[in-house]
């Protein structure tokens, strides 16, 4: 999947055990497509970052990392933003304004992707982005 996209990252590959520890902490299982992708591209950025979300346009910044105390650490971002997130929404990426892309585990075992606009309003707005992670990444082709 990653070879079809123009992704870059300055981070070394993440160990699967680190990813599994986040899953355990949150009580979820990430989609296998995400795990395969994120092991090589955590902290990654697309060459073409613009994403259309309905009538909105978001500028993708990067995937969150699995490195403790990193500014993009997935657990730190979740802890900082959990008051803005609905139940069973778990962040995995952010845009240039620090709004979040999250897995939505509310509907099925295969989570959909939502965009949570946390910055521009006191009440977060949630937008559906893709039915799964593969569909999400393909939007950057």
């Amino acid at each position: 999947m990653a070879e079809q996209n123009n992704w870059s990252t300055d981070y070394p590959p993440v160990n699967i055990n680190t990813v599994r520890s986040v899953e355990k902490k949150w009580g979820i299982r990430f989609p296998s497509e995400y795990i395969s992708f994120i092991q090589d591209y955590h902290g990654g950025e697309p060459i073409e970052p613009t994403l259309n979300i309905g009538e909105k346009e978001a500028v993708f910044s990067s995937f969150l990392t699995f490195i403790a105390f990193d500014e993009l650490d997935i657990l730190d971002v979740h802890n900082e933003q959990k008051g803005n997130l609905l139940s069973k929404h778990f962040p995995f990426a952010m845009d240039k304004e620090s709004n979040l892309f999250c897995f939505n585990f509310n509907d099925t075992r295969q989570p959909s992707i939502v965009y949570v606009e946390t910055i521009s309003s006191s009440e977060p707005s949630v937008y559906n982005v893709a039915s799964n992670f593969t569909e999400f990444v393909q939007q950057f082709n």
Side-chain angles (χ1 to χ4, degrees):
M1 172 176 23
E3 290 74 28
Q4 300 171 9
N5 300 286
N6 294 314
W7 297 93
S8 65
T9 185
D10 294 330
Y11 292 87
V14 66
N15 183 297
I16 187 64
N17 293 329
T18 304
V19 176
R20 296 288 183 220
S21 70
V22 172
E23 289 178 322
K24 185 176 181 179
K25 184 169 184 68
W26 288 348
I28 62 166
R29 289 297 261 180
F30 289 121
S32 59
E33 297 85 1
Y34 170 73
I35 291 173
S36 296
F37 182 89
I38 208 65
Q39 283 184 278
D40 291 327
Y41 293 100
H42 73 128
E45 304 173 4
I47 301 301
E48 178 52 52
T50 304
L51 183 66
N52 292 314
I53 302 170
E55 295 182 15
K56 301 183 75 54
E57 188 173 272
V59 180
F60 189 92
S61 176
S62 59
F63 283 97
L64 300 178
T65 69
F66 287 82
I67 299 173
F69 307 111
D70 184 79
E71 67 180 322
L72 296 173
D73 174 51
I74 195 166
L75 291 174
D76 287 348
V77 170
H78 178 260
N79 287 337
E80 290 168 8
Q81 291 292 330
K82 64 184 170 187
N84 292 322
L85 299 174
L86 297 176
S87 173
K88 298 185 181 180
H89 282 190
F90 299 95
F92 66 87
M94 65 176 43
D95 72 3
K96 293 284 185 191
E97 296 179 353
S98 297
N99 295 303
L100 302 173
F101 293 93
C102 298
F103 287 111
N104 173 7
F105 280 90
N106 281 307
D107 299 325
T108 64
R109 298 184 77 198
Q110 181 70 6
S112 62
I113 308 301
V114 294
Y115 175 72
V116 181
E117 196 173 46
T118 60
I119 304 304
S120 62
S121 64
S122 59
E123 192 67 29
S125 300
V126 178
Y127 303 89
N128 290 320
V129 176
S131 60
N132 57 52
F133 183 74
T134 300
E135 184 181 299
F136 173 74
V137 171
Q138 288 173 344
Q139 293 181 51
F140 294 95
N141 286 344

